[in-house]
Amino acid sequence: MRLFELLIFLSNIGLFALTVLLKKGRRRIPVFVTSGIATLLLVIHWTVEGCRVQLFFPYCITIIFLAISGYSYFKKNGQKKTPRFMLGSAYTAIAIMLVVTAGLMYAFPVFKLPEPTGEFKVGTQAFHFVDTNREEIFGEARGAKRELMVQVWYPAQAGTGKYAPFIPDTRILRYMAANYGLPGFTLQHLKYVSSHAYSGAEVSSAQASYPLILANPGFGSSRFLHTSQAENLASHGYIVAVIDHTYNTFATEFPDGRITTSSTNDLFSPDHDYRTESGNRDKLGKILTDDVAFALDQFELIQSGQIPSHLKGRMDLGHVGVFGHSIGGATAYDAAYDPRIAVGIDLDGALYRLRDREGLRKPFLFMNSESEFERLKMVMDNHAYTEAELKRMGNTREWMDQVTEDKKLELERMRESVDSGGQFLYIENSEHLNFTDVQFISPIFKMLGITGKIAPGRANSVIDAYMLDFFDMYLKNQGGSLMKGPDRRFPEVKFVTSLL
């Protein structure tokens, strides 16, 4: 909660208390003075912090109190007595508005992202890439060339000015709200949330080059929802490029002002036939994997100077990693077959294209939520679903048998990667969206089970620690202590030693 919005709220409580507790003849001056102070705080708040819809009631209460108290203070003739029932109704309404405001301020805070833990300052820059070799198959751009927005975070020289906003493309916020079933105006306050990166800062000269990591958000997500992870890796000496997979995000804004929204679900069969869905998931997966390969192509051009950028010559393309969340995690696994990519991490994502090739013989870290691990464990244990369970899930036995068959193959692929130096672990009390910055947006997500019981800050620090340790081990030939097994500093992390 920001300082001046808190002071406005407290001044409203003070105005309400003075009006209710003081007798009519003794409250005229205190209420007028307090309402004046509240109005001054309101002006400062609007000027310094910016207004937001969650404080609509305090804004109204402040202005109304100023008007009424000012009229009462300067009016020479005595005011007519207000009927008791009208006063009671007004007091009740104000009390309700203050309670509602407290709830809104709690539910939708202007939060602070976790600070990066590394020694480097962080810079950020967005790139617009156009793949002239691929046609777009989604949305209104069908037939046009595939376009991507890619946000890069990197080690920077000492930055100047303010940090870049958490979500600089503010026009997409209404689509973000709709993605979570909220009214379009609900998340507009996120434009006031700051990142810890300086826009366009020079690359740090502390090292000649830095390993490159490509990152992939999940379905209906956004590159901005992995800001804290990207900033933390960048602060430890990595260049991190998070790809907005166009039409797979909740919204992407391009430099010319166009906004695309999620439409990749058009691939999926409305009758929910498993084999059709599985095939379509593979079809979508190939597009996402090709996005990663194309983005890596572009960074090779940037490295050589064929695309102008201050990143020229600063990327260590001999040490490239990849990670992603949800279907972005599956994308990371599939993209890691590219010989240019050395290592990868899948954050809570089920794999695709399992039948197209042999297992990935590279170190790969699978980091799951507890709920996803429980689903996988049922497959490991050959759990036989009862008719009641199938009915509760809304699935047929044939559908579930097919899912189980694919899950067994997925577990086999995971085991092969673990045997090649990777790991499989899960985090207790975590849910799917604990692996993104969504967990910081609202505490009600935790109450609704959208995120797990684990505190968002704790979940973030655990994920950051294990991601960094894994990448350090294989891209910098250092670290790796957390990959050896359980660590008392992170008791919520559970290693899985048997996958079949």
Side-chain angles (χ1 to χ4, degrees):
M1 189 178 298
R2 296 176 297 173
L3 175 61
F4 287 103
E5 66 183 32
L6 174 61
L7 292 176
I8 290 169
F9 181 66
L10 293 176
S11 68
N12 274 221
I13 294 175
L15 284 169
F16 179 64
L18 289 173
T19 304
V20 172
L21 299 177
L22 294 180
K23 292 182 179 180
K24 183 177 180 181
R26 300 180 59 185
R27 68 186 179 213
R28 185 166 63 102
I29 295 177
V31 170
F32 177 64
V33 172
T34 305
S35 63
I37 294 172
T39 303
L40 178 61
L41 292 171
L42 182 61
V43 172
I44 296 173
H45 161 68
W46 281 347
T47 304
V48 176
E49 296 176 335
C51 62
R52 63 183 182 115
V53 70
Q54 288 82 7
L55 293 176
F56 175 76
F57 288 145
Y59 298 159
C60 293
I61 291 171
T62 299
I63 294 170
I64 290 171
F65 263 104
L66 179 66
I68 293 176
S69 64
Y71 176 78
S72 174
Y73 183 79
F74 291 107
K75 183 174 169 43
K76 294 182 179 180
N77 300 326
Q79 288 182 299
K80 294 182 180 179
K81 187 174 182 180
T82 306
R84 187 181 295 272
F85 81 92
M86 289 185 64
L87 282 175
S89 298
Y91 293 159
T92 301
I94 292 172
I96 291 172
M97 286 190 285
L98 290 174
V99 170
V100 170
T101 298
L104 291 173
M105 292 171 73
Y106 172 76
F108 301 103
V110 179
F111 61 89
K112 291 185 178 180
L113 286 171
E115 291 190 16
T117 60
E119 62 181 7
F120 290 101
K121 299 290 185 182
V122 179
T124 187
Q125 180 182 359
F127 289 90
H128 175 216
F129 296 144
V130 180
D131 189 346
T132 57
N133 295 319
R134 286 192 297 160
E135 290 189 353
E136 185 59 76
I137 68 169
F138 298 118
E140 297 178 356
R142 293 172 191 265
K145 298 305 179 183
R146 177 78 170 163
E147 296 180 68
L148 298 174
M149 291 300 299
V150 179
Q151 193 80 23
V152 178
W153 286 265
Y154 53 88
Q157 298 284 70
T160 58
K162 293 183 178 180
Y163 287 136
F166 167 47
I167 301 181
D169 300 345
T170 56
R171 292 174 63 212
I172 70 173
L173 287 172
R174 62 189 181 95
Y175 300 101
M176 183 178 182
N179 189 56
Y180 297 109
L182 299 170
F185 60 82
T186 310
L187 300 181
Q188 290 299 311
H189 66 288
L190 294 184
K191 63 187 176 184
Y192 301 126
V193 177
S194 173
S195 72
H196 295 96
Y198 297 97
S199 183
E202 289 297 319
V203 182
S204 173
S205 58
Q207 296 177 200
S209 63
Y210 303 90
L212 174 66
I213 297 175
L214 302 164
N216 305 274
F219 176 78
S221 187
S222 166
R223 68 188 192 269
F224 301 121
L225 295 179
H226 290 276
T227 296
S228 64
Q229 292 167 355
E231 287 183 343
N232 193 65
L233 287 168
S235 76
H236 285 274
Y238 290 94
I239 294 174
V240 185
V242 188
I243 304 166
D244 254 7
H245 295 281
T246 313
Y247 294 107
N248 197 58
T249 63
F250 63 76
T252 296
E253 183 174 358
F254 289 94
D256 61 4
R258 286 175 298 123
I259 293 179
T260 61
T261 56
S262 176
S263 63
T264 51
N265 57 344
D266 292 347
L267 280 174
F268 294 90
S269 170
D271 61 1
H272 299 291
D273 176 73
Y274 177 76
R275 285 305 179 196
T276 303
E277 286 194 1
S278 181
N280 282 332
R281 180 178 174 84
D282 286 356
K283 184 177 179 181
L284 170 60
K286 185 179 186 310
I287 294 169
L288 304 183
T289 301
D290 288 347
D291 285 347
V292 178
F294 168 67
L296 186 50
D297 292 341
Q298 300 308 292
F299 284 110
E300 288 178 339
L301 295 177
I302 289 172
Q303 178 77 348
S304 65
Q306 296 178 62
I307 295 178
S309 172
H310 56 275
L311 294 175
K312 174 186 175 182
R314 307 309 304 277
M315 292 174 282
D316 179 1
L317 296 184
H319 295 86
V320 178
V322 63
F323 79 88
H325 170 247
S326 194
I327 197 169
T331 302
Y333 177 86
D334 202 53
Y337 282 89
D338 189 319
R340 296 173 294 179
I341 296 175
V343 65
I345 299 174
D346 178 350
L347 302 176
D348 215 35
L351 304 183
Y352 55 70
R353 298 215 297 173
L354 294 169
R355 292 177 171 80
D356 287 1
R357 60 191 75 180
E358 295 182 356
L360 178 68
R361 299 294 181 176
K362 291 180 182 178
F364 206 90
L365 172 62
F366 297 93
M367 196 182 317
N368 280 12
S369 64
E370 183 173 14
S371 56
E372 176 61 20
F373 171 70
E374 290 299 326
R375 284 188 284 270
L376 288 172
K377 190 172 185 300
M378 294 178 81
V379 176
M380 296 180 205
D381 295 340
N382 294 310
H383 176 75
Y385 289 93
T386 66
E387 293 300 326
E389 287 176 324
L390 292 170
K391 184 177 181 180
R392 185 173 65 251
M393 293 184 293
N395 297 324
T396 64
R397 186 168 297 281
E398 180 184 10
W399 190 94
M400 186 54 68
D401 287 345
Q402 292 168 348
V403 170
T404 301
E405 180 184 338
D406 273 16
K407 283 294 181 185
K408 286 183 178 179
L409 183 55
E410 182 178 347
L411 285 166
E412 175 64 20
R413 293 288 182 261
M414 291 177 175
R415 185 187 62 77
E416 291 166 346
S417 292
V418 169
D419 289 346
S420 297
Q423 282 288 5
F424 181 97
L425 56 87
Y426 70 94
I427 302 172
E428 284 187 328
N429 297 315
S430 65
E431 289 290 345
H432 194 55
L433 291 182
N434 281 117
F435 293 89
T436 73
D437 290 335
V438 170
Q439 64 182 332
F440 300 112
I441 291 175
S442 175
I444 63 173
F445 288 171
K446 183 176 180 180
M447 298 176 187
L448 296 173
I450 296 174
T451 58
K453 296 178 182 178
I454 188 171
R458 179 60 180 174
N460 185 78
S461 64
V462 171
I463 294 164
D464 279 354
Y466 280 80
M467 287 179 65
L468 178 64
D469 191 65
F470 193 74
F471 282 132
D472 277 353
M473 184 176 179
Y474 290 103
L475 297 182
K476 292 186 175 182
N477 196 30
Q478 63 187 41
S481 62
L482 294 179
M483 293 300 111
K484 295 177 181 178
D487 189 297
R488 59 184 178 82
R489 294 171 296 173
F490 302 101
E492 55 274 272
V493 175
K494 304 300 178 183
F495 285 76
V496 181
T497 56
S498 177
L499 291 174
L500 287 176

